Amino acid sequence: MDEGIPTGDDLVALLAALASPHRLRVVAALAGGRNYVSQLARDLGISRALLQVHLKKLEASGLVTSTLEVSEDGKAMNYYELVPFAVNLTPATVERASTTLTL
């Protein structure tokens, strides 16, 4: 990216990652701070399996990161947190990004 303008491929990946109501809710939930999968699934009212699918898509796009930690009682807990991002989506941004598309 240059000057904060995403490449066409980056913009497509970002918009695709956010193009799901579930993923938007995950991003919104993580905006309040990091959380582990089981608690996040309970908070959102979805299964851990479905949540994992969406978290993997968000992680692949660079919007979230994960850290595996061990609790005091020895349980492995996968924590996710939001990576700060901002996109100023205007027709000019789309036009400029489209010139760099490789997909």
Side-chain angles (χ1 to χ4, degrees):
M1 289 190 217
D2 93 58
E3 302 170 18
I5 305 292
T7 66
D9 296 346
D10 289 341
L11 185 58
V12 167
L14 174 70
L15 294 175
L18 294 174
S20 160
H22 287 301
R23 288 192 291 273
L24 283 178
R25 288 183 188 102
V26 171
V27 169
L30 291 174
R34 74 185 201 127
N35 207 339
Y36 63 99
V37 173
S38 294
Q39 184 61 52
L40 194 54
R42 282 191 293 274
D43 292 349
L44 295 172
I46 62 175
S47 71
R48 287 185 312 187
L50 179 59
L51 177 60
Q52 289 284 9
V53 168
H54 291 297
L55 286 167
K56 286 184 189 319
K57 178 89 172 177
L58 290 168
E59 191 168 27
S61 71
L63 293 174
V64 301
T65 58
S66 65
T67 308
L68 188 61
E69 298 178 17
V70 179
S71 67
E72 290 180 11
D73 60 355
K75 291 182 183 175
M77 300 174 71
N78 204 0
Y79 280 88
Y80 282 84
E81 64 185 317
L82 198 58
V83 174
F85 67 93
V87 175
N88 183 16
L89 190 59
T90 66
T93 303
V94 173
E95 180 182 25
R96 185 163 176 190
S98 72
T99 65
T100 65
L101 284 169
T102 62
L103 303 173

